[in-house]
Structures are given as C-alpha cells and as structure tokens.
Amino acid sequence: MSPSPLAPYGWDDAWAEAFAPYASDGLLPGRVVRVDRGQCDVVTAGGTVRADTAFVTPHDPLRVVCTGDWVAVEPGGNPRYVRAYLPRRTAFVRSTSSKRSEGQILAANVDHAIVAVSLAAELHLGRVERFLALAWESGAQPVVVLTKADLVPDAATRSHLVQDVGTSAPGVPVLTVSARDGDGLDVLAAVVSGGTAVLLGQSGAGKSTLANALLGEDVMDVRTVREVDGKGRHTTTTRNLLVLPGGGVLIDTPGLRGVGLWDAGTGVGQVFAEIEELAEGCRFHDCAHESEPGCAVRAAIDAGDLPERRLESYRKLLRENQRIVAKTDARLRAEIRKDWKRKGAIGRAAMEAKRGRIR
C-alpha cells in the first residue's frame, strides 16, 4: 500500500482510526496549516483547500480550530466548512493579554516545542523558564535553541551560556545554532525530523531566520533587529505549518511579547523539578521555604547548591498560575482566602508576642 499523501504532515494509523467515523459520513481528513479571520487553510490528500470554521467555533476559546489540528472537512461546497477536529494529542496554551483571563491556544498536536533564545541580547533566564513551563504543560518535549551563535565565537563563553541555560532547563536539550553559517542546524534538524515542532520565542529571537534555514529556502519574512536593544518586530503574523525537507513539520509562530501561564502547574513543577524534589525533604509538608526550621530548600541555597534566583522565579510562576486558576475555580479562591487569613493570624500573633517581649 502506498503511503498517504498526508504522511509528510504527520498522518498515521492512529489518526486514521480516530477519523473513521467522519470518513463514513463522506468527510475528508486534513491538517490545518494556517488560520485567520474565522477561516483556515487545510491540506488534504487532494491539495490545500480554504474552509470556514463557523461550525466549530464555540464560545470556549480553547476549542477553536488552530494550526496543527487534524480536521474533518467537507469534500466540496462554496463556502466549504470544517465540521470537526480530532481530539488533540497535545496543545500549547497561554493566557491572553486581556483582563478576562482567557486561554489562547497557539498550536495543536506538537511533539517538540523549540524555545528560541537569541545570543545577541543578554540572557533572561526567567523568560526561558516561563516558556518551558508552558511547553511542558502542553505535553510536548521542549528544546532550547540558542540562536545567532556566530555572535559568540569564543567556545568557552558559549559553553558557559549553555551551562547557565541548562541550570534553568532540567531535562531539556540546549543547542547552539547559527543560521548564518549553518553551525548546529544538522543536530536541530535531526531532533525535529520525527514529528511536529512549534517554534516559540520573542520578536528578534531569530525564529524566522531559523525556520528558513531548516526549510532550506526563504519562506518566512525576515527583518533587521534593532541594535540598541536586540529586539525585533513581528515578521510572522500568523501561525504557519510547513513541511521540512528532512522530515517532520514546523509551526512558526509570531513573536510573543507576553507569555502568560494558563493552568500550567504541572509544567512549572517540571521546570523546577530540583526544587520540588528538595521540598520533599522539608520538615513541614506546607513549607514556604522562607524561615521554617528544617527547610531542605533553604539548606540547598545556603550550601550554594541552588541559586536564590531559581527559588524566586519558582515562586513567581506559582503565584501567577494560582491567580489564573483561581479566577475560574471558586473552591481554589476560597482556599487562597483561607490561607491568607491563616498567615495573617500567624503574623499578628508573632507581632503581639514580640511586643510582649519588648514590654
């Protein structure tokens, strides 16, 4: 049996089995390669078609059709409609920048999340940790790629930068790549050849240049980065799914200025796995790692085994994630208020005791 024309896009026996009920209704399988303004481009066995998503656009923004979805599309019609999307294996979600605290799905059915970090600017490890938390939560395997490595020609300096990022990315490969001279591209191409990869990072991180290098042609628009701060403008304005010549597919995304967590507690735990492992050795199960006796986390910091910055970043992301979840979980909101009252009572009791000693 000859392979399906959709095989290069990731079609396999499991997707075919999931699609079977729709096939019996005369619908066609396809993968969404681009979405904009309520419509999408869907690659099918017969070619790419334009389809309307009105039938699968519910009020829940996490259930809209997105790039990377496998969908059931009508065989014809004007307009042509997407009738359903198959259950997602993974989903990359962030909170929106609006005050409504809604989630926004960026890409679906992703195997590798490539976090692009430019070496043309000072490393921001907290931002790397934030991207990694979302990547782990999505179900994909993160990979950190330090782009523009040709700007750091000294091997020792480059090695130190990799090590710095590595301490903030336990269990995550950290690669250095130069799209200009091709250094490291073969390694990255081998990593992403077995599935779907999504390219993430801020504007100016070199994502479009990296995408062009992996594709072997200038498909994505590239603009100059400002020398004063290393930042760039959005050269990619939509999420595009593209087949890689060495196998696999790549989803390029617009530069993300803000990356808010969205119910990413598990992802945060994986990014800071060493802290959660240390916390299991604390004397108290609800240890806040501040001044409690028998705190294994504080002991590791005092011994120089854990950077203070890591603990601060861990707390920051946990608080942010808790706020997001609490806005949609009444029981958690009640628990947070109860915890605030408990800590307030402890603080007042400690103050009263201190005043009594002074008298």
Side-chain angles (χ1 to χ4, degrees):
M1 179 182 295
S2 59
S4 167
L6 292 176
Y9 291 87
W11 185 256
D12 56 27
D13 291 342
W15 286 123
E17 183 179 352
F19 188 80
Y22 301 103
S24 63
D25 291 336
L27 299 174
L28 302 177
R31 193 164 195 191
V32 177
V33 296
R34 178 187 173 98
V35 177
D36 60 275
R37 296 183 177 87
Q39 294 189 317
C40 61
D41 292 337
V42 182
V43 61
T44 69
T48 301
V49 301
R50 187 74 167 167
D52 197 297
T53 64
F55 281 99
V56 282
T57 305
H59 294 297
D60 184 353
L62 297 182
R63 297 178 62 192
V64 300
V65 172
C66 74
T67 303
D69 272 327
W70 285 100
V71 298
V73 66
E74 294 175 343
N78 187 20
R80 184 181 305 217
Y81 288 98
V82 170
R83 289 293 177 173
Y85 65 80
L86 301 185
R88 293 161 176 158
R89 294 178 181 176
T90 63
F92 194 96
V93 180
R94 68 164 178 174
S95 67
T96 63
S97 57
S98 70
K99 295 182 179 180
R100 293 177 294 177
S101 299
E102 293 179 339
Q104 178 190 19
I105 184 163
L106 298 178
N109 303 312
V110 172
D111 300 296
H112 292 94
I114 304 172
V115 180
V117 181
S118 173
L119 290 180
E122 184 178 355
L123 286 177
H124 191 311
L125 296 179
R127 187 177 297 124
V128 173
E129 290 161 346
R130 178 179 293 272
F131 271 110
L132 290 176
L134 292 177
W136 279 123
E137 191 68 33
S138 76
Q141 166 66 51
V143 180
V144 177
V145 175
L146 303 181
T147 65
K148 307 181 184 181
D150 51 284
L151 299 180
V152 186
D154 181 66
T157 302
R158 194 185 300 185
S159 177
H160 284 306
L161 291 171
V162 170
Q163 186 175 3
D164 286 345
V165 175
T167 60
S168 300
V172 176
V174 180
L175 311 177
T176 58
V177 172
S178 170
R180 175 176 294 179
D181 59 25
D183 184 39
L185 277 175
D186 55 341
V187 177
L188 178 58
V191 169
V192 302
S193 64
T196 298
V198 63
L199 194 52
L200 307 162
Q202 284 200 309
S203 299
K207 298 190 308 303
S208 295
T209 302
L210 183 59
N212 286 336
L214 288 170
L215 291 163
E217 56 182 318
D218 292 340
V219 175
M220 310 307 298
D221 183 27
V222 178
R223 297 181 186 173
T224 305
V225 174
R226 297 193 305 242
E227 293 184 3
V228 65
D229 55 10
K231 295 182 179 180
R233 294 174 291 174
H234 294 309
T235 57
T236 304
T237 57
T238 59
R239 284 165 281 281
N240 302 279
L241 187 147
L242 304 158
V243 176
L244 296 172
V249 294
L250 179 70
I251 299 175
D252 191 19
T253 65
L256 302 174
R257 290 194 179 95
V259 188
L261 299 185
W262 177 259
D263 196 6
T266 300
V268 172
Q270 286 183 268
V271 175
F272 299 94
E274 81 279 28
I275 295 179
E276 299 215 334
E277 184 176 348
L278 285 167
E280 294 178 0
C282 292
R283 181 181 302 178
F284 304 108
H285 76 278
D286 59 348
C287 183
H289 317 309
E290 293 176 348
S291 58
E292 297 88 343
C295 175
V297 175
R298 295 305 315 180
I301 291 175
D302 294 341
D305 297 327
L306 176 69
E308 180 81 38
R309 188 206 66 78
R310 284 281 285 170
L311 179 58
E312 292 174 356
S313 183
Y314 175 61
R315 286 171 171 160
K316 178 181 179 180
L317 293 184
L318 278 182
R319 287 195 301 268
E320 178 183 328
N321 191 66
Q322 190 178 52
R323 285 196 300 270
I324 289 293
V325 175
K327 289 181 179 180
T328 56
D329 189 329
R331 185 175 65 176
L332 181 58
R333 287 199 300 272
E335 291 177 353
I336 292 174
R337 285 195 294 269
K338 183 178 178 181
D339 188 51
W340 284 346
K341 290 180 180 180
R342 180 182 65 84
K343 290 181 177 178
I346 293 174
R348 287 192 295 272
M351 184 60 69
E352 291 297 328
K354 184 177 180 180
R355 288 174 178 170
R357 288 195 297 271
I358 292 176
R359 292 174 185 169

